[in-house]
Amino acid sequence: MPVMLLALAWLARTLVLALVLLFLLPLAAHALWWWSRDDLAPDWATADWSSARLLPAATAAPEALLRIYAARVGRWRGIFAHHTWIVVKEAGAARYTRYDVVGWGRPVRTDAYAADARWFGNPPQVVLARDGAAAADAIPRIRAAVAAYPYAQAGSYSAWPGPNSNTFVAHVLRAVPELAVALPPTALGKDFSERLVAWTPSGTGLQLSARGYLGLTLGWVEGIEVNVLGAVAGLDLRRPALKLPGWGRIGMDPAGATGTLIAPTARS
């Protein structure tokens, strides 16, 4: 019995140390960095929601196009989370279509903002970029998945732990697993699920989720991720990177992206 008690005490100390080193310290450091910025928009009304000019005019891009963007959310919540959305354009189309989920009214919105707009003043970063045939093949299924999103009713949105904007994008990615991309670890809500066990969005592994409060993800594309109250720590072995709460992904770009998702940059 003493041996068992010692083992349990060692395990408890190890878990507490891991929680401090992998979750609390990164979040605290990121909070200090976040509040040291002098370019944070004080409120919704004064924030910059204009185009970040990442996309050419739709008429100047004749091929089909698919983008997934992520941008830090506003005020103190930016310490923890990104907002993600989807942009599509069929070949020859004269305009882009943007899909988001928001927290007021009916959650799923189409073209509520410019396709590549800043979010609460924070510039978007690219999570996924596909052009040409790869985009054209995916767009019909993306539109179908948007229409089939199960939390589209007014009042169904929950900022934490979900379903929210990142739950929506993860749902769409599950409909097109060959896109083979993982949302940033700071996409709080991406792990929300009413199923205890499910395939990862890429279909390359398994995800255990207690409705987004706690979870474990093991996948070739997603890597190893541990979710504690929505904060994610982990490791990407396929494209080596460390994933830390607050800071996000630090290392190689995720496949298909043109920019890393790490600490948010200042407003441009």
Side-chain angles (χ1 to χ4, degrees), residues 23-154:
F23 290 88
L24 298 183
L25 284 181
L27 279 173
H30 192 259
L32 289 174
W33 180 88
W34 183 258
W35 289 120
S36 72
R37 295 173 57 187
D38 58 6
D39 63 335
L40 291 174
D43 54 50
W44 186 276
T46 59
D48 183 358
W49 301 91
S50 66
S51 169
R53 301 186 182 279
L54 300 182
L55 289 169
T59 53
E63 290 189 318
L65 177 145
L66 164 62
R67 296 288 187 273
I68 296 178
Y69 289 117
R72 287 281 172 171
V73 298
R75 292 174 295 199
W76 62 269
R77 292 176 298 176
I79 296 169
F80 307 96
H82 275 86
H83 168 79
T84 59
W85 67 93
I86 300 166
V87 176
V88 298
K89 183 186 76 66
E90 284 86 354
R95 56 187 294 275
Y96 296 105
T97 302
R98 169 173 170 161
Y99 296 114
D100 292 76
V101 154
V102 298
W104 56 92
R106 296 187 66 84
V108 180
R109 300 297 175 89
T110 302
D111 297 332
Y113 305 90
D116 56 357
R118 296 170 176 83
W119 188 259
F120 220 106
N122 297 306
Q125 298 166 294
V126 179
V127 177
L128 176 73
R130 294 285 187 272
D131 298 308
D137 290 344
I139 288 172
R141 283 181 291 161
I142 288 173
R143 293 193 187 277
V146 169
Y149 182 57
Y151 306 107
Q153 302 80 20

